[in-house]
Amino acid sequence: MSEMETPQRTEQSGLEAENAQLRSRVRELETELVEVQARTNAAVAQWQERAYWLDRWHLDLNALMRRRGASEFRGLLRAARSVVWAAKRARRRLRGQ
Amino acid sequence: MSAVSVVIPVKDGERFLDELLSALAREGPDEVLVIDSASRDASREIARAHGAEILEIDPREFSHGRTRNLGAEHTGGELICFLTQDATPCPGWLTAYREAFALGERVGAAYGPHLARPETSPMIARELSEFFASFSPGGTPVLQREGDETFLSNVNACYARACWQEIRFRDVAYAEDQAFGQDMLAAGWSKVYAPGAAVLHAHDYPPAEFMRRYFDEYRGLRETSGHVEPFDLAGSGAQVRRAVAADRAWMLERGIGGAELARWTARSTVHHAGRKVFSALGSRAERLPAPVQAGLSLEGRGAAPNGDGAGGAPEGASPVPPPRHVPKMLGGEVYDVVARVREQGPAPLLPAAPGAAERERLRLAMVIPPFSRGSGGHNTLFQIFTRLEQRGHACSVWLADLHGYAKDVWPAVLRSEIREYFAPFEGPVYKDLSQWQGADVAIATGWQTAHATLALDGCHARAYVVNDHEPEFYAASVEHVLSADTYRHGMHCIAASPWLSELLVERYGTSSEPFQLGVDHEAYRPRPVQRRRDTVIYYARHSTPRRAVPVGLMALAELKRRRPDLRVVLFGAGERLHASFDYEHIGVLSPEQLSWLYSEATVGLCLSLTNFSLMPKEMLACGLPCVELAGVSAESIFGEDGPLALAPLEPARIADAIEHLLDDEEQWRRRSERGIEFVASHTWEQATDEVEAGLRHALRERERVPAVG
């Protein structure tokens, strides 16, 4: 009788150990998930903090830039900016700075 | 190959009818039906000569929708084409339509471009070519589905009989094709713009007739789709200038110059300006007297069809005014999510995670209803939720906005308002529940959030923070029924008083535990100000019916009769109430201002017909004895003879209770001291402890009873 019980008990304690190991792993993963969620929350909140005025004025810059003429307008601004910068550089050079 | 019928409504159409029917003969439809409204010219003879079937109708019975339905009923083709009497099919017209219907399974209609006749004015020719080119810049057939352009024109269109049978033309005087275009796309059919199915067609009227035609068209559009043409001098003037410039450019491209260019420029200016004015008038026609409408209309119609306008509805016509089509404005109905949960049950919860209830940090997601500054319930929620966040839980806030109250408030603004109005919450705020990320506990708050929370998946447990017994906020109504329903889906309730908790358990059989509302002792404390002996302050928030303001005012009126020199101050509402006695109105105050008011007054009055509010506790914290209603919820917190003086809902008895406090200095002192002592332990930290215990209880219950909602 005791000879039969011994392998059963060994098997059971093996299962219990595996069970405890799995539970511990689940706890680790759950803790990890909370960490990830907290970091995600912080990142989204940070972006919401930065996007306040865009949201306040209902400005969706991606949609705005998809509109006809937006890229051209941006190109125009960049061109104007480069002219201003070139003029500033030339003025500095003339002043010998 | 599908049989094709062609239907052509005609009235005095001899000018182009022969050309049209000859072109049709070349295209080879199976059947041609001409519906004649008592033409006085040779239209019928021409039709007969071409072998077309003729259906004669009384012109008084004509309407664009009704007559076309009649034509479709009198023909048998699987495809039904409609042409107007001046639209001549170009070669390949019918083949292009047949190909269009082969583009998809649910193609219900197709339409082709209108090409200008050689004698057409440049304004119309340009507009036509640019308008139709915009549907297909590449010149190939384009399939249009719901959400795409709804334009459809019975000048030149073809319908699948199955689609027509399902949708049918509305019985409208005008713009039946536009209405059909909207209706068919909404019903899941698609349509095709077929560039090859062109007709020669142009409405070149003299200028005055053009304007009157626009009047008719826009009146029809208003009647079918509700469209109102915008009109303001500066904007409309700019539109006219742009249109004239475009006409000139178009003419110059085609070599028109000199005097002809000048003449057409003048015509173009008159045309576009007149069009703008008459289309604006047409879409506001209902504001004009019937004779004026008749004068402006090319059809001579005075008012909406079947109305009693001078344009003449047929004799014996129904006096029912014409219905106005209201286009779809919402993506769904307000309580769709409620119906879904009631029908299908809550979304399944995740399997219980062993030991989750004991884990130090949890993922918590709170679903809130829309709010405004000063919302007491939201203040409670955020005082607690912010503290939970400070304890290390990963917290997020989700707005369930069933009615779209906050539809124009974007998430970052919502978050900023929460921080400004309530507490310094650091986490993210979401408006869109489709971005849901799951949580250890999803927390419902107001009743409007409960079903939305029940529909969220990816949660280990759900809990319901209940601030009040909300069914009592409503008379017999859907809201009353649905708010009661929120307690019946197995969410563990965390209720804002023992009274409320017991009520939920007894009436709804739900699991529940109470928490005590906290007091911000930093703000609410006795201030260094002389306490007056003649001042009663009353929280008279009339817009909240559960505050029993009419009874409060009667009690104060009684008190003023007994003590005419009593100073009465009403606060908590922006509007001044009409009362039978003199009082001082002080409006809505900040916590800091309130604490000074409470420190100066003699007696506070605050009535609650449901769960008590924070106000009595805050008054007590400032050493101000307060009168509340007996027999509702206050006893569950303060006891029957605690720091609060309780009175039944009777004006004289409330006046008695106030008067005792005014007269009996010993009683006043006792209640004042006991009040400060009593609320000293009622803090938001304590409330947070209790709510956190409730959330962990919900997780524990989930482990114990896997099926719990």
Side-chain angles (χ1 to χ4, degrees):
Chain A
M1 198 74 172
S2 60
E3 280 172 9
M4 283 180 71
E5 270 178 6
T6 310
Q8 275 179 355
R9 210 172 289 149
T10 313
E11 191 183 341
Q12 195 177 341
S13 61
L15 283 173
E16 278 169 8
E18 191 185 346
N19 201 2
Q21 206 175 5
L22 286 172
R23 280 171 181 273
S24 159
R25 182 64 187 139
V26 167
R27 266 195 298 277
E28 273 173 30
L29 287 172
E30 290 282 353
T31 307
E32 227 169 81
L33 184 58
V34 178
E35 287 293 336
V36 170
Q37 182 75 68
R39 281 202 296 273
T40 308
N41 284 355
V44 175
Q46 190 185 8
W47 272 104
Q48 290 191 331
E49 195 76 35
R50 292 170 70 170
Y52 174 76
W53 284 107
L54 292 175
D55 275 17
R56 180 73 185 265
W57 289 340
H58 293 184
L59 277 178
D60 179 346
L61 288 182
N62 288 331
L64 197 70
M65 290 309 294
R66 276 196 298 270
R67 288 174 69 162
R68 206 171 54 178
S71 299
E72 289 78 358
F73 181 69
R74 181 166 165 266
L76 202 70
L77 283 183
R78 287 164 71 96
R81 190 181 61 181
S82 63
V83 170
V84 171
W85 284 356
K88 281 185 177 172
R89 270 199 305 273
R91 195 172 61 177
R92 271 202 301 273
R93 234 175 270 138
L94 284 173
R95 286 181 180 173
Q97 290 172 340
Chain B
M1 196 182 286
S2 305
V4 178
S5 305
V6 180
V7 177
I8 312 161
V10 169
K11 182 172 185 181
D12 300 335
E14 68 179 5
R15 185 175 169 200
F16 294 110
L17 196 56
D18 184 53
E19 176 190 298
L20 186 163
L21 291 170
S22 302
L24 262 187
R26 181 194 63 227
E27 296 298 309
D30 300 276
E31 180 183 21
V32 176
L33 174 69
V34 167
I35 306 178
D36 186 70
S37 306
S39 290
R40 287 161 297 185
D41 62 7
S43 295
R44 280 193 298 273
E45 288 70 34
I46 294 169
R48 218 167 276 130
H50 282 273
E53 187 188 341
I54 299 172
L55 177 65
E56 294 183 38
I57 61 167
D58 186 329
R60 287 175 300 181
E61 287 170 12
F62 178 87
S63 90
H64 285 280
R66 192 188 314 151
T67 305
R68 284 181 171 83
N69 282 333
L70 186 72
E73 285 160 7
H74 272 76
T75 53
E78 288 161 47
L79 297 179
I80 316 160
C81 296
F82 289 98
L83 290 169
T84 52
Q85 62 191 20
D86 52 357
T88 306
C90 298
W93 174 81
L94 192 52
T95 308
Y97 272 144
R98 285 190 196 281
E99 287 169 359
F101 282 89
L103 281 180
E105 272 182 21
R106 288 274 290 170
V107 174
Y111 63 103
H114 311 170
L115 307 183
R117 293 178 188 281
E119 68 276 18
T120 307
S121 65
M123 297 87 75
I124 302 300
R126 175 186 70 79
E127 198 170 76
L128 279 178
S129 64
E130 286 181 2
F131 178 72
F132 284 102
S134 71
F135 291 129
S136 170
T140 52
V142 174
L143 198 63
Q144 296 165 332
R145 300 185 176 87
E146 190 176 13
D148 292 339
E149 178 59 60
T150 60
F151 176 84
L152 199 57
S153 167
N154 274 342
V155 167
N156 170 30
C158 184
Y159 297 83
R161 182 166 292 276
C163 176
W164 166 78
Q165 280 169 334
E166 183 183 320
I167 308 291
R168 293 179 68 90
F169 295 108
R170 294 191 210 160
D171 191 2
V172 289
Y174 234 100
E176 81 296 341
D177 39 12
Q178 302 303 322
F180 195 100
Q182 289 172 14
D183 295 345
M184 69 176 289
L185 295 191
W189 290 90
S190 56
K191 62 188 175 77
V192 172
Y193 169 63
V199 294
L200 286 176
H201 173 263
H203 279 292
D204 225 357
Y205 300 93
E209 280 188 29
F210 242 128
M211 295 175 199
R212 294 170 70 197
R213 182 172 175 81
Y214 281 123
F215 179 86
D216 287 334
E217 271 188 15
Y218 278 81
R219 180 170 57 175
L221 259 185
R222 174 68 194 266
E223 286 164 7
T224 51
S225 70
H227 171 79
V228 177
E229 182 69 1
F231 187 84
D232 69 278
L233 272 184
S236 303
Q239 270 182 22
V240 171
R241 268 199 311 279
R242 280 196 297 272
V244 173
D247 285 345
R248 282 177 58 83
W250 192 88
M251 287 186 276
L252 286 168
E253 268 176 31
R254 281 152 188 79
I256 301 171
E260 199 184 358
L261 178 66
R263 185 169 65 82
W264 279 117
T265 302
R267 270 287 297 275
S268 166
T269 308
V270 171
H271 172 84
H272 291 295
R275 173 188 188 165
K276 191 70 200 167
V277 170
F278 275 65
S279 56
L281 281 171
S283 64
R284 293 166 180 80
E286 80 284 357
R287 300 187 202 169
L288 302 172
V292 176
Q293 287 191 48
L296 294 176
S297 163
L298 187 63
E299 296 177 331
R301 181 161 69 82
N306 297 338
D308 57 359
E315 212 166 302
S318 164
V320 178
R324 181 158 296 161
H325 174 71
V326 180
K328 167 181 165 177
M329 283 184 258
L330 298 174
E333 292 303 322
V334 173
Y335 296 132
D336 276 349
V337 65
V338 179
R340 204 166 58 243
V341 168
R342 281 164 67 100
E343 202 178 300
Q344 301 166 7
L349 290 168
L350 292 176
E358 322 309 331
R359 220 173 46 227
E360 193 182 338
R361 301 174 72 193
L362 299 172
R363 289 182 302 136
L364 303 176
M366 181 166 77
V367 186
I368 60 166
F371 55 84
S372 55
R373 188 191 290 273
S375 161
H378 283 85
N379 183 50
T380 297
L381 295 173
F382 280 106
Q383 290 300 334
I384 292 168
F385 206 55
T386 303
R387 283 170 173 81
L388 286 170
E389 184 182 53
Q390 287 161 359
R391 291 177 183 191
H393 299 296
C395 296
S396 57
V397 168
W398 301 77
L399 185 81
D401 187 10
L402 301 184
H403 294 88
Y405 294 139
K407 70 175 189 305
D408 294 328
V409 186
W410 289 17
V413 178
L414 211 57
R415 181 174 178 277
S416 167
E417 287 179 349
I418 287 169
R419 290 166 59 83
E420 185 189 341
Y421 301 165
F422 308 116
F425 177 65
E426 295 288 343
V429 176
Y430 298 91
K431 277 189 73 179
D432 185 356
L433 287 167
S434 69
Q435 296 173 337
W436 178 248
Q437 299 147 14
D440 287 322
V441 189
I443 308 165
T445 53
W447 78 267
Q448 306 93 325
T449 69
H451 295 93
T453 306
L454 287 162
L456 296 172
D457 55 11
C459 319
H460 285 300
R462 299 188 187 97
Y464 189 0
V465 176
V466 185
N467 267 307
D468 210 334
H469 183 230
E470 293 180 290
E472 291 185 34
F473 294 5
Y474 303 100
S477 59
V478 167
E479 287 73 18
H480 177 89
V481 174
L482 296 186
S483 52
D485 181 69
T486 61
Y487 309 121
R488 298 190 177 109
H489 292 276
M491 282 193 283
H492 179 62
C493 293
I494 307 167
S497 78
W499 169 83
L500 184 57
S501 183
E502 281 164 26
L503 182 150
L504 295 175
V505 173
E506 282 168 19
R507 200 171 294 183
Y508 302 99
T510 183
S511 70
S512 176
E513 60 194 288
F515 72 96
Q516 298 279 7
L517 294 175
V519 173
D520 179 359
H521 290 284
E522 278 292 303
Y524 295 100
R525 58 196 156 90
R527 299 284 183 170
V529 60
Q530 183 67 39
R531 179 80 66 181
R532 295 178 65 132
R533 294 301 311 161
D534 64 343
T535 300
V536 174
I537 60 169
Y538 175 37
Y539 180 56
R541 195 174 169 85
H542 191 261
S543 57
T544 311
R546 60 183 180 277
R547 291 284 163 210
V549 171
V551 170
L553 290 178
M554 284 192 281
L556 292 173
E558 169 64 18
L559 206 57
K560 282 286 267 187
R561 266 195 295 278
R562 297 179 198 172
R563 308 164 77 103
D565 294 336
L566 185 74
R567 178 177 173 243
V568 173
V569 179
L570 268 51
F571 72 101
E575 77 275 23
R576 291 173 199 174
L577 302 181
H578 293 194
S580 60
F581 55 89
D582 295 345
Y583 69 89
E584 292 170 27
H585 169 83
I586 204 162
V588 180
L589 303 180
S590 68
E592 167 94 0
Q593 292 167 323
L594 281 172
S595 73
W596 283 82
L597 179 71
Y598 297 164
S599 300
E600 187 192 61
T602 325
V603 179
L605 175 63
C606 178
L607 307 177
S608 308
L609 286 168
T610 54
N611 200 25
F612 82 103
S613 75
L614 259 178
M615 196 100 16
K617 280 189 176 179
E618 290 165 348
M619 289 181 179
L620 294 178
C622 297
L624 177 68
C626 173
V627 176
E628 243 286 11
L629 282 182
V632 188
S633 57
E635 288 93 334
S636 79
I637 307 289
F638 303 97
E640 286 183 10
D641 190 27
L644 277 189
L646 301 175
L649 186 68
E650 290 170 28
R653 301 285 298 278
I654 294 170
D656 290 346
I658 297 171
E659 201 165 28
H660 280 152
L661 285 167
L662 289 169
D663 287 339
D664 185 345
E665 204 163 327
E666 179 49 38
Q667 194 208 159
W668 187 93
R669 190 173 309 285
R670 183 171 57 86
R671 289 201 190 274
S672 173
E673 286 168 4
R674 282 182 64 188
I676 291 173
E677 195 184 330
F678 184 85
V679 298
S681 62
H682 291 222
T683 62
W684 285 118
E685 281 300 329
Q686 184 206 4
T688 308
D689 286 344
E690 289 166 347
V691 171
E692 185 173 2
L695 299 176
R696 291 186 186 280
H697 178 97
L699 278 168
R700 221 169 281 126
E701 279 294 293
R702 173 76 184 126
E703 280 184 57
R704 201 173 61 81
V705 191
V708 80

